[in-house]
Amino acid sequence: MDAVTTDFIHVFQPGTDPSRPPLLLLHGTGGDERDLLPFGRMVAPGASLLSPRGRVLEGAMPRFFRRLAEGVFDEADLTARTHELTDFIEVARRRYELPAPVALGFSNGANIAASLLLLRPEALAGAVLLRAMSPFATPPKAALGGKRVLILSGALDPIIPAGNAARLGRTLEEAGATVEHKTLPTGHGLSQADANLTREWLDA
Ligand code: MLT
């Protein structure tokens, strides 16, 4: 079912297994709301899928927030977009009668999911961050007690330095989250190992 609840274009696919938390799918730069639907179905069969399209355009490429250069973020825009996305999640949860979702974000989508955890932790039950980096130069203090986070990085990722994802992991852990961070022998793109590890983590 496609519907517009706020001014985020999005897809909502209702689940068949109410024991599974819904997944909030957040695509990478240049993607859209359809990109992660097959991945979401593979890693969480039966879960409801809520998948918005990023509202920032870089040329023709949708993103979830503005950047000044690759890996250099417009933090004021990121902050505003994070609150806007939280509003969308709240409206969508009421409309579709959903509990708090687990975010599943890739690249730019993983970075705004990390920002949601830090700025609006109440929006999410947990998060899977695929090829994420630290969204803020100086991370805000957050209280993430009880939230589980999976970070999957690529050892050969030309966009994200290994130390940067590790720093994000430490930030989230210091805020009280239970973080599992694995580095796969792959690049920026997703691999079968990402799907297998995500599925195992969601099932645990
Ligand atoms: C970002 O801009 O969020 C990261 O550099 C990842 C990307 O989207 O290329």
Side-chain angles (χ1 to χ4, degrees), residues 59-89:
M61 298 190 299
R63 287 175 51 85
F64 286 95
F65 59 89
R66 258 197 295 274
R67 63 180 164 184
L68 308 173
E70 191 166 288
V72 184
F73 301 150
D74 177 340
E75 293 193 11
D77 186 66
L78 170 59
T79 300
R81 301 285 175 185
T82 300
H83 293 300
E84 192 180 84
L85 185 57
T86 303
D87 292 343
F88 163 76
I89 295 167

Side-chain angles (χ1 to χ4, degrees), residues 9-72:
I9 295 168
H10 69 280
V11 173
F12 175 67
Q13 294 188 341
T16 52
D17 180 354
S19 72
R20 284 195 174 273
L23 291 186
L24 174 73
L25 303 175
L26 300 167
H27 63 79
T29 300
D32 68 22
E33 67 281 8
R34 305 216 160 254
D35 277 23
L36 289 173
L37 294 172
F39 191 92
R41 249 181 255 116
M42 195 174 5
V43 298
S48 293
L49 303 177
L50 177 63
S51 189
R53 183 191 300 181
R55 299 186 62 219
V56 168
L57 281 180
E58 189 178 274
M61 298 190 299
R63 287 175 51 85
F64 286 95
F65 59 89
R66 258 197 295 274
R67 63 180 164 184
L68 308 173
E70 191 166 288
V72 184

Side-chain angles (χ1 to χ4, degrees), residues 28-29 58 63 65 67 69-73 106-109 111 131 133 159-160 188:
T29 300
E58 189 178 274
R63 287 175 51 85
F65 59 89
R67 63 180 164 184
E70 191 166 288
V72 184
F73 301 150
F106 167 63
S107 190
N108 182 247
N111 296 339
R131 309 301 181 272
M133 56 196 289
I159 297 174
I160 299 167
H188 195 68

